[in-house]
Amino acid sequence: MGNSNQPDKPVRPPSKGHIKLTSHPSQRDAASLVVWGGATAQARGPVVGAIGDGARRNVIGAHSGSYALYRALAVAAGTLDPVHVPDLTDTAPAARIGPHPQWADAAKIVSLDPYGHMVSEVFSEQLAAGLDIRPTIAVTKARVNMPEIKDAIARGRLVPDGEVLKENGDVRVTKAAIEPVWYLPGIAERFGVSENELRRSLFEHSGGMYTELVTRNDLKLFLPPIGGMTVYGIGDVSAVGQFGREIACRVHDECNGSDVFGSDICTCRPYLAHGIEVCIETAQRGGIGFIVYNRKEGRALGEVTKFLVYNARKRQPGGDRAETYFERTECVAGVQDMRFQELMPDALHWLGIKRIDRFVSMSNMKHDALTRQGIEIVERVPIPDELIPGDASVEMTAKRAAGYFSADPQPDADQLRVARGRGLDD
């Protein structure tokens, strides 16, 4: 009897051309490298990250972020042909996004490929010639339905119109999944460090996973092994920039415990639902609403770290308190927050947004990152007090005192004491 763990038909191993030494590589032909900020798709050139494309690869890393490891596991298990090339027939975007002027500004977009959803259109000749160019963005249409939206209908805050919002609570959306494509010189400039410092840090703190970071200075693009983002557009997303089109936006950082499972220790899901409600209202008035959902679990510290911090906060003498909220996080993680919103505006530049009329956030970190990148914010929309869970009051008090928010009422004595303790009242 055969071993049931073995595949019925073995997949052929990669050819010798797929095995390379990165410590002593030959330099790429300059013509194969992407010209970041090129005025057109052809002037810019395609991102070629497929492992099977050998010398024509012009990036460091692999497509699909952390999912590349699952792909490697599938190849090792014999369930995936290592030289499989995707058939992109009928995968074109379900809605038109771009090109926008920001796409040709090398300083505006540094963490994604703006043509990542259009490769089958703009690089059709290269694809036909056999170049393995893979989309890093996909755009489709769907409907979303949340209990909070049904509740807003029941309470009369939202009124179904049959187009944007259905009677059953369905919301019609255009959604885009975006994988990160990092232009290393632009990332370094955005963070105020040298490109060499950035490359060295990425190399060392990924355990030397990508040797080309320090051996291939000619390769300027990096496909990091991290999650990307999803953009949900409500209304006509192709109409961004048209006169009189109001834009509402909620930039939301992932919180699995609250967003998916409804944990009430924070305001994440309530604020997300409130952002969707504001986007629906805006779309019903002829505008467009956007939810930008970033995979940055636990302030980009990770869910394990977040849960450890929860334990530390709750078990300390005196219980969970606002004045030790950030101290407990720093004790475990070494830092308050690693979301670093500097890269966040890139998705809005990709959408063509230059002005946000209703920004559903009171975070100074997000506000300042956007305005530094030239995106005007007209109004900042706070979460209504009645939507804040009782257990989230510690978080809200600590964040207000630490300067996370603006346009709030003057802090009370306890909040001032927290701020002074952290040196944030200067």
Side-chain angles (χ1 to χ4, degrees):
M1 183 178 294
N3 187 339
S4 61
N5 290 327
Q6 297 298 318
D8 294 332
K9 182 163 59 174
V11 174
R12 66 182 181 276
S15 68
K16 291 182 180 179
H18 297 122
I19 302 172
K20 63 182 185 299
L21 296 175
T22 58
S23 57
H24 297 87
S26 59
Q27 298 293 296
R28 296 278 191 268
D29 183 340
S32 70
L33 302 179
V34 173
V35 180
W36 201 261
T40 65
Q42 290 301 321
R44 184 185 185 91
V47 172
V48 183
I51 299 300
D53 240 325
R56 295 187 292 185
R57 274 171 47 86
N58 56 19
V59 303
I60 301 165
H63 281 301
S64 302
S66 57
Y67 289 98
L69 300 181
Y70 287 103
R71 187 167 62 242
L73 183 60
V75 170
T79 60
L80 174 64
D81 187 336
V83 294
H84 169 75
V85 177
D87 180 353
L88 299 179
T89 303
D90 294 331
T91 63
R96 187 77 185 183
I97 297 177
H100 294 292
Q102 295 97 314
W103 295 14
D105 187 334
K108 291 291 186 186
I109 297 177
V110 300
S111 63
L112 59 89
D113 175 20
Y115 289 97
H117 59 309
M118 303 173 72
V119 297
S120 59
E121 173 189 345
V122 298
F123 299 122
S124 57
E125 292 184 7
Q126 291 94 325
L127 286 166
L131 194 59
D132 189 356
I133 309 168
R134 305 194 179 189
T136 55
I137 303 175
V139 182
T140 189
K141 288 185 177 288
R143 295 185 182 184
V144 298
N145 194 306
M146 297 174 65
E148 291 88 343
I149 301 304
K150 293 181 178 180
D151 183 65
I153 294 173
R155 294 174 182 271
R157 297 197 308 270
L158 289 176
V159 178
D161 62 305
E163 182 62 27
V164 174
L165 178 62
K166 302 291 186 179
E167 290 284 346
N168 67 349
D170 281 355
V171 185
R172 297 179 65 175
V173 301
T174 300
K175 58 182 182 179
I178 303 175
E179 294 177 358
V181 178
W182 285 7
Y183 176 56
L184 294 174
I187 298 280
E189 183 176 354
R190 193 76 64 86
F191 281 86
V193 300
S194 72
E195 182 184 341
N196 283 340
E197 285 179 290
L198 175 64
R199 285 174 173 269
R200 176 61 63 179
S201 185
L202 290 170
F203 171 72
E204 290 180 350
H205 294 281
S206 64
M209 187 182 298
Y210 300 100
T211 58
E212 290 167 315
L213 285 167
V214 292
T215 65
R216 294 297 309 273
N217 286 335
D218 60 316
L219 296 181
K220 301 298 184 182
L221 302 188
F222 178 43
L223 304 180
I226 59 174
M229 70 184 75
T230 312
V231 176
Y232 287 79
I234 302 174
D236 183 1
V237 298
S238 66
V240 171
Q242 291 183 4
F243 179 78
R245 294 276 190 169
E246 184 183 16
I247 300 290
C249 180
R250 165 70 183 166
V251 175
H252 191 89
D253 295 324
E254 179 182 27
C255 178
N256 182 65
S258 179
D259 296 343
V260 178
F261 293 101
S263 170
D264 63 356
I265 197 171
C266 63
T267 60
C268 294
R269 183 181 172 98
Y271 224 145
L272 176 61
H274 179 56
I276 294 173
E277 184 174 333
V278 172
C279 287
I280 293 170
E281 294 171 346
T282 302
Q284 288 179 324
R285 294 198 299 267
I288 314 160
F290 291 102
I291 303 293
V292 180
Y293 193 90
N294 294 292
R295 295 314 194 282
K296 296 179 180 177
E297 177 63 62
R299 298 193 209 129
L301 302 171
E303 200 164 35
V304 169
T305 296
K306 181 165 74 170
F307 287 6
L308 294 174
V309 171
Y310 284 168
N311 286 344
R313 283 170 50 191
K314 294 174 181 177
R315 291 171 178 168
Q316 65 185 331
D320 196 8
R321 305 189 309 279
E323 60 267 30
T324 58
Y325 178 86
F326 289 110
E327 178 187 337
R328 292 293 86 200
T329 303
E330 289 179 346
C331 285
V332 176
V335 65
Q336 285 184 24
D337 197 319
M338 289 199 305
R339 284 176 291 180
F340 300 125
Q341 301 293 348
E342 281 81 358
L343 303 180
M344 175 266 291
D346 288 20
L348 280 73
H349 286 314
W350 173 69
L351 293 165
I353 294 172
K354 297 180 180 179
R355 164 181 163 140
I356 300 173
D357 298 276
R358 306 175 74 194
F359 185 52
V360 191
S361 172
M362 297 307 292
S363 166
N364 285 338
M365 295 170 65
K366 295 175 182 177
H367 172 276
D368 294 348
L370 289 168
T371 56
R372 279 195 299 267
Q373 283 294 305
I375 297 175
E376 179 187 0
I377 295 177
V378 178
E379 178 190 2
R380 301 169 70 174
V381 181
I383 185 171
D385 288 341
E386 61 269 22
L387 297 183
I388 299 175
D391 281 354
S393 60
V394 169
E395 174 194 28
M396 296 298 285
T397 299
K399 286 185 174 181
R400 285 192 178 104
Y404 267 58
F405 308 138
S406 69
D408 274 339
Q410 288 297 312
D412 60 25
D414 287 339
Q415 293 170 348
L416 286 172
R417 178 166 49 80
V418 176
R420 292 190 186 102
R422 297 192 52 76
L424 295 168
D425 60 333
D426 295 335

